[in-house]
Amino acid sequence: MGDQQFIIGTPMSEMLAGMELDGKDPATLELGSNYVLHFLYGYLPAPPVSPTATRSLSGVPRVPDGVDRISRLPHAVLVEILSRLPAKDAARTAALASRWRPLWRMAPLSLVDSHLLPDGGAAGQFPIGVPSPRAVTAAVSLILEAHPGPFRCVHLTRSTMEEHRGEISRWLDILVAKGVQELVFVNRPWPMDLRLPATIFSCSTLTRLYLGVWRLPDTAAVPRGARFPNLKELGLCMTVMEDRDLAFMLERSPVLEFLVIMGSQTGVRLRLVSQRLRCVQLGHALLEYIDVADAPSLERLFLSEIVPPGKLRSFRKRNNDNGSSMIKIGRAPNLRVLGYIQPGQQELGIINTDVVAGSKEKIVPSVKILAMEVQFGDRNAVKKVPGFLRYFPNLETLHVYSPTISEESTSKVSPKFWQEGGPIKCVVQSMKKVFIYEFHGSRSEVAFLKFIAETGRVLEHMVLLVANECFSSGDDNVRAKLKPLASVKWNNQACKVQLFKSRRTNPGGPVYSNKIASDFGFADPFDLLGHY
């Protein structure tokens, strides 16, 4: 992620010219733009219809009398069938028989622009540099005009919107008038900050909205009565947004339950005041602060690949002098799942004053599952871990991701460090499971695990995913790294230890699934071992 001023508001032609002057290969800009698209589409929800569904009747026994019994079904059933087909296939049913001709116009339509391509979108997203498919853009306009609505879902991701400004304004006008329920609207860059028409705020029928590579409308000019009364899920991916515009969208979405902010082009300063919000995902973004001021329904808060302000030159003089992101947790009585917290790069400000057994400590007693990213070779990061854990006295499951380090740090903490700070309540009384990912066998890692094992009274499982690189010198090397754990004096002798070889071969942050994160059918969204 580069300096925001390097991207925002700069035309592609100017970017290319500047790179040539600096002696840089212009092809890298195209490569970077394609990476943006690849990243973005990974976070978009899948459409509810697919052109690849099996429609062959070759294996179905034929009715002896040859009667078309499907066409004899009630209108309501046929309309429901059509609403579950891609728009192109639903329209083709008009050629079947007179009974079917008016039904397409009666069915709530699912329009996915990639389905209008000759291959139905099987080839994936168009790379930057490939011309925008004007035939698809024209077909979208035709379908939106011809169908009376409502639209069950509309996914528009294949057009370079800069080339079709007139069409996108008209599209939004039609979608507002015809009651779109789910909208995924992506601008294929460039430019990265094309202004989204303010008409979007008139889509009062929306229940799900995902926006990609846009600059949010200037809400100062939006009518104060504009709102999303039915919006339950909002996704903002690679967007440019002012603080007031983001706050406006959240304030005008009274029933919002799921919020996804991925790859924001600008620094994120997020204040959460919502009665219905259940899950927040924030990732691949510059986070200045997140303030959970009043969110009584919030159950899950995810932070993935967060960049602290101090990492970018343009933010060094703003807010936090130490360059850390600030995470404040105020009223969130149902917050159960939290992570990935990064000691040393993020600061926790617990302003929650829930009282537990007469204690007035600033704690979050509701959190049961916590994920942390701990650089065990960084003394300052490790020294913050006990303080973080003390905020969560009822923690039951701890996930720790240990990033790869080039060499053992000379400023590591002493093994006695974990004992010197005194007991940590959750470790002693409530922690049942500990997972450590990309375990390298460093002394700092081993000291941490020994502390957990020798202190935890109710610890039931310890799971180690050993870094793939540890196996490069053979199994003996792995056994040598694990040998110090053999001397552990387990507080709970019944604790089970499991070892796995990590499948990861590339560096990066913790493994994370945004789909699983918002799926409440998974009790522990960080335990990807169990999910896959």
Side-chain angles (χ1 to χ4, degrees):
M1 184 175 181
D3 190 329
Q4 63 164 339
Q5 300 302 322
F6 182 69
I7 296 176
I8 299 173
T10 307
M12 173 71 86
S13 58
E14 189 175 319
M15 289 284 291
L16 291 172
M19 293 181 72
E20 289 182 351
L21 286 174
D22 293 339
K24 298 178 181 178
D25 184 358
T28 59
L29 178 59
E30 191 171 290
L31 180 64
S33 299
N34 285 322
Y35 175 77
V36 168
L37 283 180
H38 176 75
F39 162 82
L40 168 64
Y41 287 113
Y43 285 96
L44 298 179
V49 296
S50 171
T52 60
T54 301
R55 294 189 293 273
S56 173
L57 298 178
S58 59
V60 179
R62 297 190 177 278
V63 180
D65 57 11
V67 176
D68 179 8
R69 288 188 170 84
I70 293 181
S71 293
R72 292 185 174 184
L73 293 171
H75 262 64
V77 175
L78 296 179
V79 167
E80 179 65 21
I81 291 173
L82 292 181
S83 71
R84 297 177 182 275
L85 293 176
K88 185 163 60 174
D89 294 327
R92 286 172 175 169
T93 60
L96 294 177
S98 58
R99 174 76 192 282
W100 290 84
R101 286 169 193 157
L103 295 181
W104 178 75
R105 292 174 54 85
M106 298 170 58
L109 194 66
S110 295
L111 173 58
V112 181
D113 60 358
S114 63
H115 296 172
L116 303 176
L117 295 166
D119 66 351
Q125 296 300 326
F126 295 113
I128 298 299
V130 174
S132 180
R134 294 184 180 277
V136 169
T137 304
V140 168
S141 295
L142 181 62
I143 293 171
L144 291 178
E145 292 279 3
H147 197 280
F151 289 98
R152 178 185 176 197
C153 81
V154 176
H155 287 217
L156 303 176
T157 66
R158 287 303 207 266
S159 295
T160 302
M161 298 300 178
E162 168 70 8
E163 301 175 8
H164 305 286
R165 291 197 181 213
E167 285 97 331
I168 64 176
S169 295
R170 178 59 182 155
W171 289 348
L172 288 177
D173 288 339
I174 293 174
L175 292 174
V176 168
K178 297 182 179 180
V180 63
Q181 297 173 18
E182 173 181 318
L183 177 61
V184 175
F185 203 29
V186 174
N187 168 42
R188 293 182 69 246
W190 212 274
M192 297 282 283
D193 63 335
L194 186 62
R195 178 76 74 175
L196 182 69
T199 312
I200 193 71
F201 286 102
S202 299
C203 293
S204 60
T205 53
L206 281 171
T207 59
R208 173 189 268 182
L209 173 63
Y210 274 74
L211 300 172
V213 202
W214 294 100
R215 179 185 286 272
L216 292 186
D218 181 1
T219 54
V222 175
R224 300 308 300 172
R227 56 195 282 115
F228 297 112
N230 301 295
L231 189 63
K232 292 185 177 180
E233 184 174 349
L234 173 63
L236 302 173
C237 303
M238 288 301 298
T239 54
V240 181
M241 52 191 175
E242 301 293 334
D243 296 339
R244 67 174 184 273
D245 299 330
L246 176 59
F248 184 93
M249 291 195 77
L250 299 182
E251 179 186 342
R252 304 295 164 168
S253 306
V255 299
L256 190 67
E257 296 182 7
F258 300 92
L259 174 64
V260 178
I261 300 177
M262 287 292 168
S264 174
Q265 295 186 51
T266 47
V268 176
R269 287 174 284 188
L270 181 63
R271 187 171 186 269
L272 298 177
V273 178
S274 172
Q275 296 300 303
R276 298 284 191 91
L277 198 59
R278 298 181 63 197
C279 179
V280 175
Q281 298 186 58
L282 178 64
H284 299 273
L286 173 70
L287 175 64
E288 295 198 44
Y289 71 76
I290 178 170
D291 182 2
V292 186
D294 186 12
S297 300
L298 185 64
E299 299 178 50
R300 297 182 173 189
L301 176 58
F302 297 93
L303 306 168
S304 172
E305 296 290 322
I306 294 300
V307 180
K311 289 289 183 71
L312 291 186
R313 181 175 62 257
S314 57
F315 287 87
R316 283 177 181 167
K317 297 181 180 180
R318 299 173 61 179
N319 292 331
N320 302 311
D321 292 335
N322 61 3
S324 301
S325 302
M326 173 57 72
I327 303 168
K328 295 181 181 180
I329 301 178
R331 184 169 182 262
N334 288 301
L335 182 59
R336 185 176 181 275
V337 178
L338 176 63
Y340 269 92
I341 300 296
Q342 299 172 294
Q345 296 192 38
Q346 294 164 358
E347 297 293 333
L348 274 177
I350 308 298
I351 55 178
N352 177 53
T353 55
D354 286 354
V355 177
V356 178
S359 172
K360 294 183 179 180
E361 293 181 289
K362 293 181 178 179
I363 56 177
V364 189
S366 60
V367 171
K368 304 292 185 182
I369 300 171
L370 176 69
M372 306 177 74
E373 181 176 340
V374 181
Q375 175 56 269
F376 282 98
D378 183 342
R379 177 184 178 88
N380 291 330
V382 175
K383 291 184 71 172
K384 289 181 178 293
V385 171
F388 275 51
L389 292 177
R390 287 190 171 90
Y391 286 129
F392 312 105
N394 299 318
L395 188 66
E396 295 179 357
T397 302
L398 175 65
H399 296 268
V400 180
Y401 170 70
S402 178
T404 301
I405 52 177
S406 57
E407 59 185 13
E408 185 75 8
S409 171
T410 57
S411 60
K412 55 187 176 294
V413 299
S414 164
K416 296 182 179 180
F417 161 77
W418 296 102
Q419 302 293 343
E420 292 170 349
I424 300 174
K425 186 175 181 180
C426 66
V427 176
V428 175
Q429 298 184 5
S430 62
M431 193 176 294
K432 297 178 181 179
K433 297 180 181 179
V434 174
F435 297 77
I436 183 164
Y437 304 89
E438 302 306 305
F439 176 76
H440 302 87
S442 70
R443 283 180 289 178
S444 294
E445 290 173 323
V446 171
F448 173 69
L449 292 179
K450 290 181 69 174
F451 168 71
I452 298 290
E454 294 174 352
T455 311
R457 296 174 184 172
V458 297
L459 188 65
E460 298 173 355
H461 290 92
M462 181 177 287
V463 181
L464 307 182
L465 274 81
V466 182
N468 190 279
E469 62 194 63
C470 293
F471 292 85
S472 60
S473 301
D475 292 344
D476 289 342
N477 178 53
V478 176
R479 280 192 286 269
K481 290 181 177 295
L482 297 175
K483 186 176 181 181
L485 293 177
S487 62
V488 171
K489 298 179 180 179
W490 296 87
N491 196 314
N492 181 10
Q493 296 293 328
C495 180
K496 297 179 180 179
V497 180
Q498 292 180 290
L499 301 177
F500 296 93
K501 179 181 179 180
S502 173
R503 295 183 178 181
R504 299 193 64 180
T505 57
N506 60 316
V511 177
Y512 172 81
S513 169
N514 65 303
K515 304 295 190 300
I516 290 176
S518 59
D519 187 342
F520 282 79
F522 295 103
D524 185 348
F526 296 112
D527 183 7
L528 300 184
L529 281 175
H531 303 332
Y532 297 124

